[in-house]
Amino acid sequence: MLVTLPKRRPKRIRVLIDGKLVSPLGEADVRVRDISKEGALVETSDETSDVGEVELTFLEKSHAGTIAWREGSWLGITFNKELTKKVWKELSAKQLRVGAPRNYRHDEIEEDPERIEVTPRDIRMRLPY
């Protein structure tokens, strides 16, 4: 049986924008990876609180919000107010274009042949050309 799921709402775009996250534990450098008018997916290596009010700053604009979830270095942030049309248009211009096919699977790629062959008497290196 084939089941069709509706597209995720609201529309999300993939971006790669550096920013700052201010939380009750302090300030952290973050990278915004994915964004919608209602929230953002950010990546950080700093410890920030798991829940609570935060302020996300990117593209010289601050957006108040709440950390909705955390998994390792990934945070989901829900904005208190929806992004304006002007900000959304600016973000859309920075959207990443992803070229990998949808059915891409890492384990299906053939490995490169070994370039070095070692025998008891010599070492041979295969050149790529």
Side-chain angles (χ1 to χ4, degrees):
M1 177 179 186
L2 182 63
V3 177
T4 304
L5 298 175
K7 284 191 170 190
R8 188 174 181 181
R9 297 281 182 224
K11 181 177 167 47
R12 302 182 78 75
I13 56 175
R14 290 184 178 149
V15 293
L16 192 58
I17 302 170
D18 290 329
K20 295 257 185 228
L21 183 71
V22 179
S23 73
L25 293 179
E27 191 174 292
D29 290 325
V30 297
R31 182 162 283 156
V32 181
R33 296 290 193 155
D34 170 307
I35 197 159
S36 73
K37 289 183 179 180
E38 298 174 357
L41 170 68
V42 299
E43 180 182 17
T44 181
S45 60
D46 296 333
E47 286 296 317
T48 55
S49 55
D50 288 338
V51 291
E53 295 294 316
V54 294
E55 189 170 313
L56 178 63
T57 303
F58 59 92
L59 299 178
E60 300 177 7
K61 294 176 182 68
S62 293
H63 307 279
T66 305
I67 297 177
W69 58 268
R70 180 183 184 121
E71 188 173 315
S73 62
W74 298 92
L75 297 170
I77 297 176
T78 304
F79 297 137
N80 293 345
K81 290 195 294 187
E82 214 175 79
L83 297 178
T84 63
K85 288 182 181 182
K86 181 180 177 184
V87 172
W88 184 250
K89 188 174 182 179
E90 188 177 345
L91 289 168
S92 295
K94 295 184 179 305
Q95 181 175 3
L96 294 177
R97 304 286 183 222
V98 180
R102 288 181 182 251
N103 61 354
Y104 170 77
R105 289 200 32 134
H106 172 68
D107 56 354
E108 294 178 1
I109 297 175
E110 287 185 30
E111 294 294 323
D112 290 334
E114 291 293 325
R115 290 190 171 176
I116 299 175
E117 181 181 326
V118 180
T119 62
R121 292 188 158 221
D122 56 358
I123 297 174
R124 294 183 187 157
M125 184 171 169
R126 293 190 187 114
L127 299 177
Y129 46 87

